[in-house]
Amino acid sequence: MICDNLSIDENGHLLFAGQDASALLRQYGSPLYLMDEDRIRRNCQTYYAAMKDAFGESALPLYASKAVSFLEIYRIIKEEGLGVDVVSSGEIYTAAQAGFPLEKAYFHSNNKTDADIAFALEQGVGYFVVDNEEELFAIDRIAGAQNKTQKVLLRLTPGIDPHTYEAINTGRVDSKFGSAIETGQAEEITSLALKLPHIDLAGFHCHVGSQVFDSDTFLRSAEIMLDFSAAIRDRYGYTVRELDLGGGYGVRYTEKDPVIDIAANIHGVAKAVKAKCAALKLPLPAMRLEPGRSIVADAGLTLYTVGTIKKIPGYKNYVSVDGGMTDNPRFALYNASYTVLAAEKMNEEKNFLCSVVGRCCESGDILQEQVLLPASIRRGDVLAVLTTGAYNYSMASNYNRIPRLPIVMLKGGQNRLVVRRESFEDLVRNDL
Ligand SMILES: *Cc1c(COP(=O)(O)O)cnc(C)c1O
């Protein structure tokens, strides 16, 4: 199995975090997201321990909460001692409602509105990760009006293409995000940050992409960022205090995806960062990483009930489920791969090739193509889509007025609802 929180019982049923997945579907209704709390915590602890160990006490992983954002997740992250990344006033509000200490929050986004900036300042968000000069002026102005000085990191683009999907590449010079080192804009925004009275420049940030498996990407971006930091020190006398290398460690969606040893990887990055700092005579900055997917993806799974099965002789077969792009738009967006299993037929031979599709009025409403399921698959069977903890619930929509799914959290043999299923009343709540 692609993750060790999955197993099969003596009846051929899929177990997730040790619990019978299809029994949970019968208990809570269909379709349904499950999340494995022990796995979330273990993923947090892996990053936390490895970063403290490799970079020292000042280091801290930040959970990129756009991966999945709801009250209970911020409570868990708080207990595990991580910071968080937030990308909107809505995420800041959710974190605040959960009692998350916002001084450990880092506010991203390439287009923070004046209202976002004012709200984040009022809420006491610790850091703004500043994308561009216009934003820096706006923060300086609004912080000034609130009699505050705001700590910021500057988001820079080191010019790296991590060879992942085009749609999720963000570290290249022509990216929508950040200021490029290569074009001189990174230096310009740094010198501006050092001049503005209500801005406290804490350091630099970069994020080169997502679903990264090679350790090389982080090593190269760290070295480029440190070279830049040394050049800034030489020219402006400013010493970087924090260096944030972003998120992006990959997870296993299918058996083809490699297994990545995150702790070993972080130690490798630390070794290179320390050597580079020594060579440049820079003190080691407080290091930050921003894992999102690799904290929650393999802690999540989606369960559906099979409906129509359509066989088009000589062409293809379709297995339709009672969800789709409204709860998981990632195949529709960028052909994301997923593993699909028949949750009560785990020991049957898989020889029925099909596309697993949703129920939306959209041909692109596909969860996965080229899926092999048991030939006995029929209406009423339960399908599990694995590794859906990240970028599923957080990307969900109400297209076709389909209510959003609930989330059931599993922990040590127990289970509890942490997000309710949307009701029809919820669907019309804002309609006048
Ligand atoms: C999306 C994002 C992350 C998290 O990426 P993952 O692939 O989920 O680890 C971290 N930092 C920034 C700036 C991001 O945009």
Side-chain angles (χ1 to χ4, degrees):
M1 292 275 213
I2 60 174
C3 184
D4 62 12
N5 56 0
L6 297 160
S7 56
I8 303 172
D9 74 3
E10 64 282 1
N11 301 318
H13 285 202
L14 176 68
L15 301 183
F16 184 58
Q19 301 188 41
D20 185 327
S22 61
L24 288 162
L25 176 130
R26 314 249 182 255
Q27 182 184 344
Y28 287 99
S30 178
L32 180 67
Y33 298 117
L34 298 181
M35 293 202 84
D36 171 0
E37 181 171 341
D38 294 324
R39 184 77 202 185
I40 298 170
R41 290 184 185 274
R42 189 137 64 83
N43 290 339
C44 288
Q45 288 155 13
T46 298
Y47 274 97
Y48 192 91
M51 286 194 72
K52 297 280 177 188
D53 212 32
F55 292 110
E57 259 320 296
S58 66
L60 190 69
L62 315 173
Y63 165 61
S65 64
K66 71 174 194 264
V68 71
S69 174
F70 54 92
L71 292 175
E72 190 69 359
I73 202 87
Y74 291 103
R75 296 185 193 118
I76 293 170
I77 299 297
K78 175 186 169 185
E79 283 178 15
E80 294 302 328
L82 277 66
V84 291
D85 267 16
V86 288
V87 296
S88 69
S89 293
E91 287 185 1
I92 293 168
Y93 178 81
T94 310
Q97 290 293 306
F100 192 87
L102 289 176
E103 66 272 11
K104 286 164 84 175
Y106 289 66
F107 184 19
H108 280 270
S109 165
N110 66 309
N111 184 21
K112 303 173 184 76
T113 64
D114 284 8
D116 288 331
I117 293 168
F119 181 69
L121 278 158
E122 281 154 19
Q123 293 291 316
V125 166
Y127 296 80
F128 282 53
V129 184
V130 177
D131 187 88
N132 54 70
E133 293 195 1
E134 209 176 295
E135 179 188 331
L136 198 58
F137 281 119
I139 297 168
D140 183 58
R141 171 171 49 82
I142 299 166
Q146 294 189 20
N147 276 318
K148 288 178 180 155
T149 300
Q150 180 59 47
K151 274 185 288 189
V152 307
L153 301 182
L154 299 177
R155 179 164 183 166
L156 310 180
T157 41
I160 286 175
D161 183 342
H163 304 294
T164 52
Y165 311 99
E166 183 68 22
I168 44 183
N169 268 352
T170 48
R172 304 184 328 178
V173 175
D174 59 357
S175 165
K176 152 176 130 166
F177 298 102
S179 307
I181 293 176
E182 193 180 308
T183 60
Q185 285 164 308
E187 180 174 342
E188 279 168 30
I189 193 169
T190 303
S191 85
L192 179 63
L194 290 170
K195 280 186 210 127
L196 293 175
H198 302 286
I199 298 291
D200 173 18
L201 180 61
F204 302 115
H205 167 278
C206 66
H207 171 74
V208 293
S210 281
Q211 195 60 355
V212 173
F213 288 101
D214 64 308
S215 52
D216 216 44
T217 305
F218 285 99
L219 292 183
R220 281 188 300 142
S221 58
E223 290 183 350
I224 293 167
M225 295 295 282
L226 288 167
D227 279 330
F228 175 81
S229 301
I232 291 296
R233 180 217 31 217
D234 296 345
R235 261 169 250 167
Y236 300 87
Y238 167 78
T239 301
V240 60
R241 303 187 324 248
E242 288 196 19
L243 180 60
D244 184 337
L245 298 177
Y249 277 118
V251 298
R252 301 190 76 213
Y253 289 105
T254 70
E255 298 284 352
K256 281 191 224 129
D257 293 321
V259 177
I260 177 169
D261 183 339
I262 285 171
N265 226 282
I266 289 173
H267 278 89
V269 174
K271 200 169 156 216
V273 164
K274 286 177 180 168
K276 190 78 181 169
C277 283
L280 296 167
K281 299 200 167 54
L282 269 178
L284 178 68
M287 297 297 295
R288 305 283 178 259
L289 288 175
E290 306 172 327
R293 185 189 318 266
S294 51
I295 298 287
V296 290
D298 62 10
L301 167 160
T302 312
L303 296 173
Y304 302 97
T305 303
V306 172
T308 304
I309 295 172
K310 185 172 288 182
K311 298 175 183 169
I312 310 175
Y315 290 90
K316 66 193 284 188
N317 302 314
Y318 288 100
V319 171
S320 319
V321 296
D322 53 353
M325 62 185 285
T326 44
D327 57 77
N328 182 358
R330 295 187 70 254
F331 186 88
L333 277 173
Y334 32 68
N335 284 323
S337 297
Y338 281 100
T339 300
V340 185
L341 302 172
E344 294 170 309
K345 298 182 169 175
M346 293 297 293
N347 292 333
E348 289 187 27
E349 196 190 337
K350 295 192 267 187
N351 48 16
F352 180 65
L353 185 66
C354 60
S355 293
V356 175
V357 300
R359 60 167 167 182
C360 292
C361 303
E362 186 68 56
S363 306
D365 176 21
I366 297 167
L367 285 171
Q368 202 59 214
E369 306 251 39
Q370 307 275 340
V371 177
L372 276 172
L373 292 174
S376 71
I377 197 81
R378 61 176 172 76
R379 191 176 185 88
D381 281 353
V382 178
L383 289 191
V385 178
L386 308 183
T387 332
T388 59
Y391 306 111
N392 275 233
Y393 174 69
S394 61
M395 287 186 162
S397 76
N398 287 126
Y399 181 53
N400 287 182
R401 289 252 140 165
I402 294 174
R404 264 176 268 248
L405 280 48
I407 303 176
V408 170
M409 191 68 81
L410 312 183
K411 181 171 170 47
Q414 309 284 323
N415 52 73
R416 68 188 194 279
L417 201 56
V418 291
V419 175
R420 255 198 309 266
R421 187 183 299 281
E422 274 183 338
S423 64
F424 293 143
E425 294 77 44
D426 290 332
L427 293 176
V428 296
R429 198 175 41 203
N430 298 319
D431 299 3
L432 299 174

